[in-house]
Amino acid sequence: MHEAAVAQDLLEVICKEARKQEARPVAARISCGQLNAINDEVLCFAFEAIARGTACEGMTLQVEHKSMQARCSRCKDVFDLNLAEARCPSCGVDDFELLPDAPLVLEEIEFDKE
Amino acid sequence: MEKVNVGKRILSANEQFAQQNSQLLAQRRQLCLNMISSPGSGKTTLLVRTISDLKDELRMGVIEGDLRTDIDAQRVRATQAPAIQIETQGACHLSAKQVNDALEQLPLDALDVIFIENVGNLVCPSAFELGENGKVVVLSVAEGDDKPAKYPAIFAKSKVMLINKIDLLSGGLVEFDIERVTTDARRLNKSIEIFPVSARTGAGMPQWYDWLKEQVRQTRR
Protein backbone atom coordinates (compact mmCIF):
# COMPACT_ATOMS: atom_id res chain seq x y z
CA MET A 1 0.00 0.00 0.00
CA HIS A 2 3.04 2.31 0.23
CA GLU A 3 2.76 2.38 -3.57
CA ALA A 4 0.40 5.36 -3.09
CA ALA A 5 3.27 7.38 -1.59
CA VAL A 6 5.57 6.26 -4.41
CA ALA A 7 2.94 7.22 -7.01
CA GLN A 8 2.54 10.67 -5.44
CA ASP A 9 6.27 11.35 -5.57
CA LEU A 10 6.49 10.00 -9.11
CA LEU A 11 3.65 12.27 -10.22
CA GLU A 12 5.37 15.35 -8.80
CA VAL A 13 8.69 14.53 -10.47
CA ILE A 14 7.10 13.79 -13.86
CA CYS A 15 4.90 16.92 -13.80
CA LYS A 16 7.98 19.03 -13.05
CA GLU A 17 9.89 17.42 -15.92
CA ALA A 18 6.89 17.93 -18.24
CA ARG A 19 6.86 21.66 -17.49
CA LYS A 20 10.58 21.80 -18.25
CA GLN A 21 10.15 19.93 -21.53
CA GLU A 22 6.93 21.77 -22.41
CA ALA A 23 5.49 18.49 -23.66
CA ARG A 24 2.90 15.94 -22.69
CA PRO A 25 4.29 12.82 -20.95
CA VAL A 26 2.80 9.58 -22.29
CA ALA A 27 4.86 6.87 -20.64
CA ALA A 28 7.51 6.38 -17.98
CA ARG A 29 9.84 3.61 -16.97
CA ILE A 30 10.92 3.12 -13.38
CA SER A 31 13.25 0.56 -11.86
CA CYS A 32 13.31 -0.85 -8.37
CA GLY A 33 14.98 -3.47 -6.24
CA GLN A 34 13.28 -6.41 -4.57
CA LEU A 35 13.34 -4.81 -1.14
CA ASN A 36 11.30 -1.80 -2.32
CA ALA A 37 8.37 -4.26 -2.32
CA ILE A 38 6.64 -2.62 -5.28
CA ASN A 39 3.60 -4.34 -6.73
CA ASP A 40 3.16 -3.18 -10.36
CA GLU A 41 -0.60 -3.41 -10.41
CA VAL A 42 -1.03 -1.46 -7.18
CA LEU A 43 1.44 1.22 -8.27
CA CYS A 44 -0.18 1.65 -11.71
CA PHE A 45 -3.64 1.80 -10.17
CA ALA A 46 -2.56 4.42 -7.61
CA PHE A 47 -0.78 6.45 -10.27
CA GLU A 48 -3.74 6.35 -12.63
CA ALA A 49 -6.03 7.56 -9.85
CA ILE A 50 -3.92 10.53 -8.71
CA ALA A 51 -2.86 11.50 -12.25
CA ARG A 52 -6.44 12.30 -13.21
CA GLY A 53 -6.78 15.99 -14.05
CA THR A 54 -2.99 16.52 -14.18
CA ALA A 55 -0.48 16.64 -17.05
CA CYS A 56 0.15 12.94 -16.38
CA GLU A 57 -3.41 11.77 -17.00
CA GLY A 58 -3.53 8.62 -19.13
CA MET A 59 0.20 7.90 -18.85
CA THR A 60 1.42 4.32 -18.77
CA LEU A 61 4.03 3.12 -16.29
CA GLN A 62 6.50 0.35 -16.85
CA VAL A 63 8.24 -1.14 -13.83
CA GLU A 64 11.54 -2.92 -14.16
CA HIS A 65 12.35 -5.14 -11.18
CA LYS A 66 16.04 -5.63 -10.57
CA SER A 67 17.15 -8.88 -8.97
CA MET A 68 18.63 -9.04 -5.53
CA GLN A 69 22.35 -9.65 -5.83
CA ALA A 70 24.60 -11.63 -3.56
CA ARG A 71 28.30 -12.42 -3.30
CA CYS A 72 29.31 -16.00 -2.57
CA SER A 73 31.41 -16.32 0.58
CA ARG A 74 33.52 -19.11 -0.94
CA CYS A 75 34.14 -18.31 -4.62
CA LYS A 76 33.31 -14.56 -4.34
CA ASP A 77 31.10 -14.78 -7.44
CA VAL A 78 28.36 -12.13 -7.62
CA PHE A 79 25.05 -13.64 -8.67
CA ASP A 80 21.32 -12.89 -8.97
CA LEU A 81 19.72 -14.27 -5.84
CA ASN A 82 16.70 -16.48 -6.17
CA LEU A 83 15.16 -16.73 -2.72
CA ALA A 84 13.49 -20.03 -3.50
CA GLU A 85 16.87 -21.58 -4.31
CA ALA A 86 19.25 -19.45 -2.31
CA ARG A 87 22.72 -20.74 -3.18
CA CYS A 88 25.66 -19.79 -5.36
CA PRO A 89 25.10 -21.05 -8.92
CA SER A 90 28.85 -21.56 -9.44
CA CYS A 91 29.85 -23.56 -6.37
CA GLY A 92 26.53 -24.46 -4.74
CA VAL A 93 27.33 -22.94 -1.35
CA ASP A 94 24.43 -21.31 0.54
CA ASP A 95 26.71 -18.94 2.44
CA PHE A 96 26.63 -15.49 0.84
CA GLU A 97 26.50 -11.79 1.53
CA LEU A 98 23.50 -9.81 0.31
CA LEU A 99 24.59 -6.77 -1.74
CA PRO A 100 22.77 -3.41 -1.43
CA ASP A 101 19.38 -3.46 -3.07
CA ALA A 102 18.68 -1.38 -6.19
CA PRO A 103 17.00 1.94 -5.32
CA LEU A 104 13.70 3.21 -6.66
CA VAL A 105 14.54 5.26 -9.76
CA LEU A 106 12.57 7.10 -12.42
CA GLU A 107 14.67 6.07 -15.40
CA GLU A 108 12.99 7.56 -18.44
CA ILE A 109 9.95 9.55 -19.57
CA GLU A 110 8.48 9.42 -23.04
CA PHE A 111 7.02 12.71 -24.28
CA ASP A 112 4.59 13.45 -27.08
CA LYS A 113 6.34 16.27 -28.91
CA GLU A 114 4.69 17.82 -31.91
CA MET B 1 7.69 10.81 -29.47
CA GLU B 2 10.83 11.56 -27.57
CA LYS B 3 12.41 9.68 -24.72
CA VAL B 4 14.15 11.62 -21.96
CA ASN B 5 16.55 10.00 -19.50
CA VAL B 6 15.79 11.16 -16.00
CA GLY B 7 17.61 8.85 -13.58
CA LYS B 8 16.06 10.49 -10.53
CA ARG B 9 15.54 8.76 -7.18
CA ILE B 10 11.93 8.42 -6.08
CA LEU B 11 11.06 9.13 -2.43
CA SER B 12 14.09 11.42 -2.30
CA ALA B 13 12.07 13.92 -0.23
CA ASN B 14 11.70 11.19 2.41
CA GLU B 15 15.41 10.45 2.19
CA GLN B 16 16.28 14.11 2.78
CA PHE B 17 14.25 14.18 5.98
CA ALA B 18 15.75 10.84 6.99
CA GLN B 19 19.21 12.32 6.54
CA GLN B 20 18.28 15.35 8.65
CA ASN B 21 17.03 13.06 11.42
CA SER B 22 20.13 10.94 11.19
CA GLN B 23 22.42 13.99 11.44
CA LEU B 24 20.49 15.38 14.41
CA LEU B 25 20.75 12.06 16.24
CA ALA B 26 24.44 11.63 15.36
CA GLN B 27 25.28 15.12 16.68
CA ARG B 28 23.49 14.33 19.91
CA ARG B 29 24.93 10.78 20.02
CA GLN B 30 21.52 9.33 20.64
CA LEU B 31 20.43 5.85 19.73
CA CYS B 32 17.27 5.61 17.65
CA LEU B 33 15.68 2.27 16.77
CA ASN B 34 12.85 1.74 14.30
CA MET B 35 10.61 -1.09 15.56
CA ILE B 36 8.73 -2.88 12.79
CA SER B 37 6.30 -5.81 12.94
CA SER B 38 2.84 -7.04 12.05
CA PRO B 39 -0.01 -5.64 14.15
CA GLY B 40 -0.33 -7.51 17.44
CA SER B 41 3.22 -8.85 17.70
CA GLY B 42 3.59 -7.16 21.08
CA LYS B 43 5.79 -4.16 20.20
CA THR B 44 4.20 -1.85 22.76
CA THR B 45 4.26 -4.47 25.52
CA LEU B 46 7.91 -5.07 24.70
CA LEU B 47 8.76 -1.37 24.86
CA VAL B 48 6.80 -0.79 28.05
CA ARG B 49 8.61 -3.69 29.74
CA THR B 50 12.01 -2.55 28.43
CA ILE B 51 11.43 1.00 29.71
CA SER B 52 10.24 -0.22 33.12
CA ASP B 53 13.02 -2.79 33.59
CA LEU B 54 15.80 -0.39 32.52
CA LYS B 55 14.43 2.81 34.05
CA ASP B 56 17.43 3.18 36.40
CA GLU B 57 19.95 2.66 33.59
CA LEU B 58 18.62 4.28 30.41
CA ARG B 59 16.34 7.21 29.68
CA MET B 60 14.02 6.26 26.85
CA GLY B 61 11.36 8.02 24.79
CA VAL B 62 8.97 6.69 22.17
CA ILE B 63 7.50 7.94 18.91
CA GLU B 64 4.32 5.96 18.34
CA GLY B 65 2.81 5.40 14.89
CA ASP B 66 -0.72 4.13 14.44
CA LEU B 67 -3.52 4.68 11.96
CA ARG B 68 -5.80 5.97 14.71
CA THR B 69 -5.87 6.62 18.50
CA ASP B 70 -3.20 7.43 21.06
CA ILE B 71 -3.72 4.20 23.02
CA ASP B 72 -0.06 3.20 22.61
CA ALA B 73 1.34 6.58 23.64
CA GLN B 74 -0.83 6.45 26.77
CA ARG B 75 0.55 3.00 27.62
CA VAL B 76 4.10 4.31 27.31
CA ARG B 77 3.35 7.48 29.33
CA ALA B 78 2.04 5.31 32.15
CA THR B 79 5.71 4.31 32.70
CA GLN B 80 6.58 8.05 33.06
CA ALA B 81 8.54 7.95 29.77
CA PRO B 82 7.74 10.63 27.18
CA ALA B 83 5.80 9.50 24.11
CA ILE B 84 4.63 11.33 21.00
CA GLN B 85 1.75 9.78 19.09
CA ILE B 86 1.59 10.11 15.32
CA GLU B 87 -1.81 9.24 13.87
CA THR B 88 -1.24 8.47 10.20
CA GLN B 89 -4.98 8.68 9.36
CA GLY B 90 -4.80 5.51 7.31
CA ALA B 91 -1.26 5.61 5.92
CA CYS B 92 0.48 2.27 6.26
CA HIS B 93 3.92 3.53 7.36
CA LEU B 94 5.65 6.42 9.12
CA SER B 95 7.50 8.95 6.99
CA ALA B 96 10.79 10.66 7.88
CA LYS B 97 8.99 14.02 7.92
CA GLN B 98 6.56 12.81 10.58
CA VAL B 99 9.47 11.55 12.67
CA ASN B 100 11.26 14.88 12.14
CA ASP B 101 8.26 16.72 13.60
CA ALA B 102 7.96 14.27 16.48
CA LEU B 103 11.66 14.58 17.37
CA GLU B 104 11.10 18.32 17.86
CA GLN B 105 8.40 17.57 20.41
CA LEU B 106 10.41 15.06 22.44
CA PRO B 107 12.60 16.28 25.34
CA LEU B 108 15.74 15.04 23.55
CA ASP B 109 18.15 16.39 26.17
CA ALA B 110 16.64 14.04 28.71
CA LEU B 111 16.92 10.88 26.58
CA ASP B 112 19.50 8.21 25.77
CA VAL B 113 17.34 6.12 23.46
CA ILE B 114 14.49 6.97 21.10
CA PHE B 115 12.29 4.14 19.95
CA ILE B 116 10.10 4.61 16.90
CA GLU B 117 7.22 2.17 17.04
CA ASN B 118 6.20 2.02 13.39
CA VAL B 119 2.69 1.29 12.11
CA GLY B 120 1.93 -2.44 12.43
CA ASN B 121 2.83 -3.72 8.97
CA LEU B 122 5.58 -6.10 7.84
CA VAL B 123 5.86 -4.68 4.31
CA CYS B 124 5.58 -0.91 3.77
CA PRO B 125 7.58 0.50 6.71
CA SER B 126 10.66 -1.38 5.52
CA ALA B 127 10.76 0.81 2.38
CA PHE B 128 10.92 4.13 4.28
CA GLU B 129 14.15 5.14 6.00
CA LEU B 130 13.48 7.37 9.00
CA GLY B 131 17.05 8.28 9.92
CA GLU B 132 17.28 5.61 12.60
CA ASN B 133 20.48 3.83 13.68
CA GLY B 134 18.86 0.48 13.05
CA LYS B 135 15.69 -1.45 12.49
CA VAL B 136 14.39 -4.03 14.93
CA VAL B 137 11.88 -6.52 13.56
CA VAL B 138 9.54 -8.13 16.07
CA LEU B 139 7.99 -11.45 15.12
CA SER B 140 5.63 -13.19 17.51
CA VAL B 141 5.47 -16.97 17.44
CA ALA B 142 1.72 -16.95 16.80
CA GLU B 143 2.38 -15.44 13.35
CA GLY B 144 4.21 -18.53 12.12
CA ASP B 145 7.80 -19.40 11.31
CA ASP B 146 7.51 -18.75 7.56
CA LYS B 147 7.65 -14.94 7.80
CA PRO B 148 11.31 -14.34 6.86
CA ALA B 149 10.74 -16.42 3.72
CA LYS B 150 7.49 -14.63 2.86
CA TYR B 151 8.47 -11.04 3.78
CA PRO B 152 12.22 -10.96 3.12
CA ALA B 153 12.75 -7.18 2.96
CA ILE B 154 12.39 -6.33 6.62
CA PHE B 155 14.49 -9.30 7.76
CA ALA B 156 17.23 -8.37 5.27
CA LYS B 157 17.35 -4.81 6.59
CA SER B 158 17.07 -5.31 10.37
CA LYS B 159 19.86 -5.31 12.94
CA VAL B 160 17.84 -7.38 15.36
CA MET B 161 14.99 -9.85 15.27
CA LEU B 162 13.06 -10.25 18.50
CA ILE B 163 11.02 -13.45 18.49
CA ASN B 164 8.29 -12.53 20.94
CA LYS B 165 5.68 -14.48 22.93
CA ILE B 166 7.91 -17.55 23.36
CA ASP B 167 5.86 -18.36 26.48
CA LEU B 168 3.20 -19.64 24.05
CA LEU B 169 5.58 -22.39 22.89
CA SER B 170 5.42 -24.31 26.14
CA GLY B 171 2.61 -26.83 26.25
CA GLY B 172 2.50 -26.88 22.44
CA LEU B 173 -0.04 -24.07 22.20
CA VAL B 174 1.69 -22.81 19.07
CA GLU B 175 3.89 -24.61 16.58
CA PHE B 176 6.91 -22.51 15.72
CA ASP B 177 10.36 -23.67 14.64
CA ILE B 178 12.92 -21.17 15.97
CA GLU B 179 15.67 -22.93 14.04
CA ARG B 180 13.82 -22.49 10.75
CA VAL B 181 13.26 -18.79 11.38
CA THR B 182 16.90 -18.35 12.35
CA THR B 183 18.14 -20.14 9.22
CA ASP B 184 15.79 -18.20 6.92
CA ALA B 185 16.62 -14.83 8.49
CA ARG B 186 20.40 -15.44 8.49
CA ARG B 187 20.25 -16.49 4.85
CA LEU B 188 19.08 -12.94 4.08
CA ASN B 189 21.13 -11.20 6.72
CA LYS B 190 24.20 -12.87 8.16
CA SER B 191 24.76 -10.35 10.92
CA ILE B 192 21.19 -10.15 12.28
CA GLU B 193 21.03 -10.59 16.06
CA ILE B 194 18.24 -12.90 17.16
CA PHE B 195 16.71 -12.84 20.64
CA PRO B 196 13.79 -15.13 21.54
CA VAL B 197 11.87 -13.31 24.28
CA SER B 198 8.60 -13.08 26.13
CA ALA B 199 7.71 -9.50 26.97
CA ARG B 200 4.96 -10.89 29.20
CA THR B 201 7.04 -13.24 31.39
CA GLY B 202 10.37 -11.47 30.89
CA ALA B 203 12.10 -14.60 29.51
CA GLY B 204 15.06 -13.81 27.26
CA MET B 205 14.72 -10.05 27.85
CA PRO B 206 18.16 -9.66 29.58
CA GLN B 207 19.94 -10.60 26.32
CA TRP B 208 17.99 -7.90 24.48
CA TYR B 209 18.83 -5.40 27.25
CA ASP B 210 22.54 -6.24 27.02
CA TRP B 211 22.49 -5.62 23.28
CA LEU B 212 20.60 -2.35 23.77
CA LYS B 213 23.01 -1.07 26.43
CA GLU B 214 26.00 -1.98 24.25
CA GLN B 215 24.47 -0.01 21.34
CA VAL B 216 24.01 3.01 23.60
CA ARG B 217 27.69 2.77 24.64
CA GLN B 218 28.79 2.57 21.00
CA THR B 219 26.59 5.50 19.97
CA ARG B 220 28.03 7.68 22.73
CA ARG B 221 31.61 7.07 21.62
Side-chain angles (χ1 to χ4, degrees), chain B residues 164-179:
Chain B
N164 194 21
K165 308 191 188 181
I166 54 165
D167 49 310
L168 293 178
L169 295 177
S170 60
L173 286 173
V174 172
E175 264 183 48
F176 186 92
D177 186 345
I178 289 187
E179 209 168 306

Side-chain angles (χ1 to χ4, degrees), chain B residues 55 62 70 113 138 150 154 158 174 199 220-221:
Chain B
K55 66 175 186 298
V62 184
D70 67 344
V113 183
V138 183
K150 284 182 173 173
I154 185 56
S158 291
V174 172
R220 277 187 190 144
R221 253 175 231 156

Side-chain angles (χ1 to χ4, degrees), chain B residues 14-194:
Chain B
N14 187 72
E15 276 174 35
Q16 280 166 17
F17 276 110
Q19 217 160 18
Q20 268 187 35
N21 296 345
S22 164
Q23 279 166 2
L24 173 79
L25 294 161
Q27 277 164 10
R28 307 182 61 98
R29 300 188 181 195
Q30 278 167 320
L31 179 69
C32 177
L33 296 172
N34 183 2
M35 314 286 288
I36 297 176
S37 79
S38 312
S41 67
K43 284 191 297 304
T44 314
T45 304
L46 218 142
L47 288 178
V48 165
R49 178 145 200 153
T50 302
I51 292 168
S52 305
D53 287 354
L54 297 181
K55 66 175 186 298
D56 297 329
E57 296 170 73
L58 294 176
R59 301 167 304 166
M60 292 170 270
V62 184
I63 296 171
E64 286 286 351
D66 282 294
L67 268 60
R68 307 258 175 216
T69 81
D70 67 344
I71 294 172
D72 282 358
Q74 287 181 35
R75 286 176 63 191
V76 172
R77 286 181 201 130
T79 68
Q80 308 303 320
I84 304 296
Q85 180 76 49
I86 299 169
E87 283 186 63
T88 65
Q89 310 291 337
C92 51
H93 60 273
L94 286 178
S95 72
K97 168 81 170 72
Q98 290 169 320
V99 169
N100 193 274
D101 293 342
L103 284 171
E104 280 182 19
Q105 297 171 55
L106 273 177
L108 291 181
D109 286 335
L111 297 175
D112 303 306
V113 183
I114 297 134
F115 288 109
I116 301 168
E117 185 181 338
N118 219 310
V119 177
N121 179 331
L122 217 43
V123 186
C124 309
S126 68
F128 292 81
E129 296 299 323
L130 302 178
E132 70 272 16
N133 299 89
K135 293 179 177 58
V136 175
V137 58
V138 183
L139 175 65
S140 67
V141 297
E143 295 164 54
D145 51 22
D146 53 5
K147 293 301 168 287
K150 284 182 173 173
Y151 301 87
I154 185 56
F155 296 92
K157 291 181 173 180
S158 291
K159 273 194 176 170
V160 173
M161 168 164 62
L162 291 166
I163 303 174
N164 194 21
K165 308 191 188 181
I166 54 165
D167 49 310
L168 293 178
L169 295 177
S170 60
L173 286 173
V174 172
E175 264 183 48
F176 186 92
D177 186 345
I178 289 187
E179 209 168 306
R180 178 188 177 186
V181 162
T182 304
T183 308
D184 285 355
R186 290 245 160 89
R187 183 174 290 160
L188 296 163
N189 182 345
K190 254 208 266 185
S191 58
I192 193 168
E193 299 274 359
I194 301 174

